[in-house]
Amino acid sequence: MHDQQVRTPWGTTKRGGFPALGVAIPAGLALAAALGVVAAAMGVTESNPMLGGVVFALCLALPLVALVYAVVVDRGTIKGAADRPEESVESGWYDRAAAGAFTDLILLAGAGATILAFIPANFPVDLKLVLPAVVLACFASFGIRYLVLQRKG
């Protein structure tokens, strides 16, 4: 069915065949504006609620347009998109890197728990720094593993 459809650089919607960006841009901007109004009404910035709402909407505009686009676009209508992306080489790299990063997370959590068990009770450990450090270690592990797999081919 996708072979009969015209492929465009940005694709079309799953239903109706409208240009995906033609739907995503107005819908994302409308959602951003609505959330800006909600932010202003809730007093995100009490000194100037209108300015706070506008800044809030501007910050959310691009992510919400991208989210709506991802929801409405039919991948089969995007020029150059793989027909079965789950079977691509990159997908294999991603799966292997994610599995390795998860193993690293388990090892890091176990080592951290062991180390924390032997730290004296009066030694201050700021837990607000521990979780971000673990997340950054996972990001680094995944990124390095993915790049190594990519380089190997």
Side-chain angles (χ1 to χ4, degrees):
M1 181 167 123
H2 292 301
D3 295 334
Q4 297 171 349
Q5 293 178 345
V6 176
R7 290 182 175 233
T8 63
W10 294 100
T12 59
T13 58
K14 295 174 185 173
R15 299 178 193 227
F18 300 108
L21 281 180
V23 173
I25 291 173
L29 292 177
L31 284 170
L35 289 174
V37 168
V38 169
M42 293 182 68
V44 171
T45 57
E46 294 180 18
S47 61
N48 193 342
M50 180 66 114
L51 179 63
V54 169
V55 170
F56 201 81
L58 288 174
C59 290
L60 287 177
L62 189 59
L64 287 173
V65 168
L67 176 65
V68 172
Y69 176 78
V71 170
V72 301
V73 72
D74 180 4
R75 283 189 46 84
T77 62
I78 301 173
K79 189 183 295 184
D83 289 331
R84 293 184 306 274
E86 67 278 357
E87 296 176 9
S88 69
V89 173
E90 292 84 2
S91 177
W93 295 339
Y94 178 91
D95 291 342
R96 290 172 43 202
F102 182 70
T103 302
D104 292 346
L105 171 64
I106 298 298
L107 290 172
L108 184 63
T114 303
I115 291 169
L116 288 174
F118 291 107
I119 291 179
N122 60 355
F123 185 79
V125 176
D126 190 2
L127 295 179
K128 292 178 187 173
L129 297 177
V130 173
L131 184 58
V134 170
V135 170
L136 286 175
C138 290
F139 283 162
S141 173
F142 176 84
I144 291 168
R145 286 175 178 277
Y146 188 88
L147 290 174
V148 167
L149 289 168
Q150 184 181 30
R151 191 158 288 203
K152 283 183 180 178

